[in-house]
Amino acid sequence: MNVELYERIWMWAASLLIVAFLGTIVLMTALHAVTPPSHFETVDSSNLVGNPEFANPGVRPGPDGGVVVTVVAETFDFSPNPIEVPANRPVTFRLTSADVIHGFEVVGTNANAMAIPGYVSQFTVTFPKPGEYLIACNEYCGLLHHNMTAKLIVKKEAP
Ligand code: CUA
C-alpha cells in the first residue's frame, strides 16, 4: 500500500500526540495520585462519628478573624444547615462526604467543590455581600439529588 509522504508524517504526528497525552495522564496519576485539587487529606468516611472534627460539623473561629466551616454531605443533606458566616472575612470550607460523591456549590459565587468520601476538600472564600445563599449539590448522587440543598447565611459584620 502506498501512503503519501505528507499523510505519513501527519499520521505519525497524530500518533505521537496521542501517546504524549495518554502518557501525561498516566504519569500525573502515578506521581500525584488522583485527589481533590486543594490538598491531600484523608478521612475515614465509614467512621465520621469517630472523627473529632467531622463528628461535629459546624462553624469555628479560624485564622485572620475568619471562620472554618466543617461540612459533611450525606444523601441528601448537608450538615450543618443553615451555615452562618460573616461577610468580608475569609471563610474556609472543609468538606467531606459520608457516602457518595456530592457537590457543594454556593450558587452565584465561585465557591464550588466536590465532597468526596474518604477525602477532605478545602477552599477559602470571602463573601462580600451579606444575604442568604443557596447551597446546591451539583453532582448527581441519587434519586433525591435535586432536593439536596442547604442555606448559607452571610451576616453583615458588627460595626
Ligand atoms: Cu448530593 Cu447530588
Side-chain angles (χ1 to χ4, degrees), residues 66-129:
V67 294
V68 176
V69 187
T70 303
V71 180
V72 174
E74 185 169 10
T75 48
F76 297 97
D77 282 306
F78 294 102
S79 174
N81 180 20
I83 299 173
E84 212 177 289
V85 299
N88 288 312
R89 303 271 179 163
V91 178
T92 299
F93 287 98
R94 287 172 50 77
L95 325 167
T96 196
S97 165
D99 38 45
V100 297
I101 289 181
H102 297 280
F104 181 92
E105 178 185 358
V106 183
V107 177
T109 74
N110 63 354
N112 188 357
M114 283 165 99
I116 305 170
Y119 295 96
V120 178
S121 297
Q122 180 175 317
F123 63 95
T124 303
V125 284
T126 302
F127 300 102
K129 256 178 45 195

Side-chain angles (χ1 to χ4, degrees), residues 75-76 78 100-103 137-142 145-146 148:
T75 48
F76 297 97
F78 294 102
V100 297
I101 289 181
H102 297 280
C137 174
N138 58 11
E139 298 282 344
Y140 182 73
C141 54
H145 159 71
H146 60 284
M148 187 165 171

